[in-house]
Amino acid sequence: MDDSSIGNAEKAAGITIILLMVLGGTQVFLGEHVAQSVALTANGIDCIGDGFVSFVVWAGLKFFRRSPDSKFHYGYYKFENLASVVAAIVMFVLAGYIVYRAYNQFVSPEPLHAPMIGAVVALLAAFMAWGIGIHKYIKGRKLHLKSLELDAFNTIKDGTASFLAVIALILSSRGYIVADAVVGFIIAAIIVSIGITTIKEASFVLLDACDHECFFKSAQIRRIAESIPVVKSAQVVRLRQTGPVIQGELEIGLGKEMSIKEAHEIREEVLHKIKEKFPDIERLTIIPVPFEDPQ
C-alpha cells in the first residue's frame, strides 16, 4: 500500500475533523441559545464527537505509516484497529449523554423557538456529511482501512442524524414537541449499534481471529500452491488480519532430493502466484518441508 494512498486517506480524515467541529459547534449554539431543541443540540454534540472520532482515526493513520522497528517488529498496522476501538468508546460516551438529554426533554417537554432556522442548518449538515462519508467509505474499502471505514460510517451516520433532527424540528414546529426527544433516542441508538459492530470487528483483528473470509483465503492459497507441479502438498496455512494487510505462514511439501536453491525458486514462484491473486497479503512465510508420502 503506497504512502500517497494513505496520505490521501489521512487528508480526508483531517478535513472531516474541521468540518464536523464547525457544523457541530453551530448546531449546539442554535440548539441551546436559539431553537432550544434537544435534537439539534444532541446532533451538534454528536457532530463534535464525530470530529473527535475522525481525529482518533487520523492519529491512527499517522502511526500506521511508521516502518517496523526494534520494538514493533511487524509494524504499526494494528494501531489502526486500536484507533477504531477508541473511536467506538467515544461514541458510547456521546450516546449516553444524548440519552440523558433526550430523557429530560421527554419527561419535561419544552417548546422550541425558531425551529426552522435550526432545520435549515441541520439539513445543510446532513448533505455535507453524506457526501464526505460516501467519499471516505470508497477510500476505506479501496485501501482496506477499517478505521477509515468506521470514520465513513460515522460521518454518514452523522448526516442521517442531522436529517432526523430536521424532521424533529419540523414536527416540533407543528406542535409535536415530543418528537424532539424521540429523535434524540434514535440518534443514540444508531451510535450504539455502530459502536458495538466496530468493537467486535476490531477486537477480532487484535486477537488474530480468522473469520470466514480468512478461511476462504486459506483454502485458495493451498490450492494455488498445489497447482504448481513440483509442490507435492500444501498445508498449515495460518493467516491473520493486521490492519489493512494480511500476514501468515504456509508449509509446502517438496521432494527430498530437491536442492536449497531449487526449493527457494519454488518458494518464490508460489509467493508470486499467491500475491498476484491476493494483493492484500503483505507477508507470507513459506516453509519448504520434505514431502512424506502417506502410502
Side-chain angles (χ1 to χ4, degrees):
M1 188 177 297
D2 57 275
D3 285 342
S4 63
S5 297
I6 300 299
N8 290 334
E10 186 182 307
K11 183 179 179 181
I15 292 173
T16 305
I17 296 170
I18 299 172
L19 180 63
L20 290 178
M21 289 293 187
V22 172
L23 289 174
T26 302
Q27 289 181 90
V28 168
F29 176 81
L30 291 174
E32 291 292 305
H33 303 289
V34 180
Q36 302 295 317
S37 167
V38 172
L40 191 60
T41 300
N43 189 57
I45 293 171
D46 186 33
C47 264
I48 294 173
D50 289 347
F52 178 73
V53 169
S54 293
F55 172 76
V56 171
V57 172
W58 176 81
L61 290 171
K62 280 286 188 182
F63 277 105
F64 171 85
R65 299 176 70 182
R66 293 188 177 184
S67 301
D69 53 32
S70 58
K71 190 171 186 179
F72 295 93
H73 295 186
Y74 293 96
Y76 289 76
Y77 291 121
K78 287 193 177 182
F79 273 86
E80 191 253 347
N81 303 106
L82 183 61
S84 296
V85 173
V86 174
I89 293 172
V90 172
M91 290 164 68
F92 287 144
V93 174
L94 289 170
Y97 181 74
I98 291 171
V99 167
Y100 169 75
R101 291 294 306 273
Y103 175 77
N104 288 338
Q105 176 69 351
F106 187 78
V107 297
S108 301
E110 296 289 338
L112 275 61
H113 305 285
M116 298 313 294
I117 295 177
V120 171
V121 175
L123 185 62
L124 177 64
F127 285 125
M128 293 180 72
W130 281 333
I132 294 176
I134 292 171
H135 173 72
K136 287 194 294 186
Y137 176 74
I138 294 172
K139 281 282 185 182
R141 292 287 291 179
K142 182 179 179 181
L143 300 174
H144 303 283
L145 290 172
K146 292 294 183 182
S147 64
L148 190 60
E149 287 185 45
L150 163 66
D151 195 25
F153 278 122
N154 208 35
T155 306
I156 292 171
K157 177 269 301 172
D158 190 67
T160 304
S162 295
F163 187 73
L164 290 173
V166 173
I167 295 174
L169 288 164
I170 292 175
L171 290 175
S172 297
S173 69
R174 302 285 184 177
Y176 300 98
I177 301 176
V178 72
D180 198 37
V182 171
V183 167
F185 287 126
I186 294 173
I187 291 173
I190 293 172
I191 294 172
V192 170
S193 64
I194 294 176
I196 290 173
T197 301
T198 299
I199 287 182
K200 179 181 177 181
E201 291 183 357
S203 297
F204 282 161
V205 174
L206 291 173
L207 294 173
D208 293 332
C210 185
D211 59 10
H212 65 280
E213 183 181 352
C214 176
F215 180 80
F216 168 76
K217 286 184 177 179
S218 296
Q220 288 284 89
I221 287 171
R222 190 179 295 111
R223 280 196 290 268
I224 291 171
E226 291 178 345
S227 68
I228 298 175
V230 293
V231 176
K232 308 295 185 180
S233 66
Q235 54 190 334
V236 195
V237 180
R238 298 188 182 96
L239 297 179
R240 65 175 181 175
Q241 186 81 33
T242 307
V245 300
I246 292 176
Q247 300 175 347
E249 300 173 5
L250 169 67
E251 284 188 5
I252 56 174
L254 301 177
K256 296 179 181 180
E257 72 284 353
M258 189 171 290
S259 67
I260 295 177
K261 181 180 179 182
E262 290 173 329
H264 175 73
E265 290 174 351
I266 297 302
R267 174 191 172 278
E268 291 298 307
E269 183 181 355
V270 171
L271 187 60
H272 174 74
K273 284 183 175 293
I274 291 172
K275 285 194 171 186
E276 193 174 49
K277 175 71 174 179
F278 300 112
D280 56 338
I281 294 180
E282 185 212 41
R283 182 183 294 110
L284 184 66
T285 303
I286 301 178
I287 306 170
V289 296
F291 175 71
E292 298 288 345
D293 195 332
Q295 298 179 350

